Amino acid sequence: MGIDFHNKGNQTSYTTRNADNSWMETLKELVPITSISKAADIGCGGGIYSKALADMGIPSVIGVDFSEAMLVGAKENCKNYHNITFKQGNALDTGLENDSFQLLLERALIHHIQDLKTCFQEAYRILEDKGVYIIQDRTPEDCLLKGDDCHIRGYFFERFPKLKEQEIKRRHSSDRVVETLKEIGFSEIEEIKLWETREVYEQKEQLLKDLQERTGRSILHELDDEELNALVTYMDQSISIESTIVEKDRWTIWKAVK
């Protein structure tokens, strides 16, 4: 089945939360933020991380997404940010100018892309010399960690092993990412692991509602409605706490320099 990013019904699915401070602090450790005047957020979805880049003090941020529906949601989400603009394009052909950005972010994007080489070539083209490329995604190892009261995602694969197969198919290994970056000409490649707080739920019912609506979780679009109901029931039974659930996801971040 899969998510249809072009469906207007999904245009607010990636606008309902804010980037956690832990993510911003991690980025500040990797990137000289105070020297960045222009950044691009490719695969920006609903603009959550475009806003985060602006909140960190970057004067000019452009978000690029291939979905017009996503961009409608992003523009509404960022309507009070006059230093954020949006443009329709895709990671293989952004339509942005050569050598134009000091920072390029691609978060939760490359698992939707098979042709990493073309994606990374496009990033190299639009970055200035010494520009920083930040890729954030999950490796298969990140995805398949055991579920617990914080790592909610792990329960998805326990209840529906078929999702595990789907996840392994669409995720790239770290070795492949690093080797492709080197092939394109990037240097100073670093890799770190991050447990990023995704959301804090005051009550378990809020989390279950979030899951029922598939909010911001493309993997849940692989389940039909009956399977989703079964998953929500399973999650209700598996999560042992009823209030203040701090949901965290394990990510891999790669930093590379042009």
Side-chain angles (χ1 to χ4, degrees):
M1 186 164 48
I3 186 172
D4 179 4
F5 287 108
H6 302 286
N7 187 328
K8 290 182 179 179
N10 293 323
Q11 71 183 28
T12 62
S13 184
Y14 291 87
T15 65
T16 59
R17 63 184 187 85
N18 294 311
D20 188 70
N21 283 336
S22 63
W23 182 87
M24 290 189 269
E25 291 305 314
T26 298
L27 199 67
K28 288 176 184 176
E29 291 174 6
L30 292 170
V31 179
I33 292 295
T34 55
S35 67
I36 304 296
S37 61
K38 199 172 178 184
D41 179 12
I42 309 299
C44 64
I48 291 170
Y49 290 83
S50 302
K51 283 172 68 172
L53 293 174
D55 286 338
M56 292 165 68
I58 296 176
S60 176
V61 179
I62 184 167
V64 177
D65 203 277
F66 78 139
S67 165
E68 184 178 352
M70 289 287 123
L71 291 175
V72 170
K75 289 173 184 176
E76 176 63 23
N77 188 25
C78 300
K79 63 184 178 182
N80 295 323
Y81 287 73
H82 302 298
N83 60 332
I84 302 177
T85 58
F86 292 99
K87 179 185 186 304
Q88 192 167 7
N90 66 70
L92 310 185
D93 182 16
T94 61
L96 300 174
E97 294 182 3
N98 294 348
D99 310 312
S100 299
F101 298 91
Q102 291 101 34
L103 173 63
L104 176 57
L105 171 67
E106 292 181 348
R107 183 191 179 280
L109 171 72
I110 63 170
H111 64 281
H112 296 296
I113 294 173
Q114 286 300 312
D115 187 358
L116 285 188
K117 184 175 180 180
T118 299
C119 177
F120 293 176
Q121 283 175 330
E122 178 69 353
Y124 195 90
R125 180 186 70 77
I126 65 177
L127 276 169
E128 293 182 0
D129 287 342
K130 302 302 180 182
V132 179
Y133 188 19
I134 297 291
I135 303 163
Q136 179 178 346
D137 216 284
R138 297 185 183 96
T139 65
E141 293 77 15
D142 294 327
C143 293
L144 302 181
L145 296 171
K146 185 175 174 59
D148 58 35
D149 286 345
C150 287
H151 185 233
I152 305 302
R153 192 180 183 89
Y155 288 126
F156 300 173
F157 309 109
E158 292 177 23
R159 179 61 182 84
F160 287 101
K162 70 174 185 176
L163 292 180
K164 185 183 296 187
E165 298 170 16
Q166 179 70 18
E167 202 66 319
I168 290 171
K169 271 193 242 175
R170 69 179 190 160
R171 300 289 174 175
H172 301 289
S173 71
S174 184
D175 286 346
R176 185 181 178 204
V177 172
V178 171
E179 288 306 311
T180 307
L181 286 169
K182 288 178 180 176
E183 182 183 353
I184 299 307
F186 284 100
S187 61
E188 301 178 42
I189 299 167
E190 300 177 39
E191 175 191 318
I192 67 165
K193 298 292 185 181
L194 172 67
W195 278 99
E196 181 183 353
T197 297
R198 182 187 186 279
E199 189 67 86
V200 178
Y201 297 96
E202 297 302 323
Q203 301 293 331
K204 183 162 71 170
E205 288 74 15
Q206 294 171 336
L207 168 61
L208 299 179
K209 181 177 183 290
D210 203 40
L211 295 171
Q212 191 72 57
E213 295 175 354
R214 300 183 173 94
T215 305
R217 304 173 194 267
S218 62
I219 191 69
L220 296 186
H221 288 262
E222 303 296 333
L223 301 177
D224 62 29
D225 290 346
E226 184 177 346
E227 290 170 325
L228 183 63
N229 289 335
L231 176 64
V232 171
T233 299
Y234 181 76
M235 301 290 279
D236 191 17
Q237 295 167 346
S238 299
I239 297 169
S240 61
I241 53 181
E242 295 296 326
S243 60
T244 316
I245 297 171
V246 181
E247 182 184 3
K248 295 186 176 185
D249 288 322
R250 220 275 287 274
W251 295 89
T252 300
I253 297 177
W254 297 270
K255 172 191 172 182
V257 177
K258 177 175 175 179

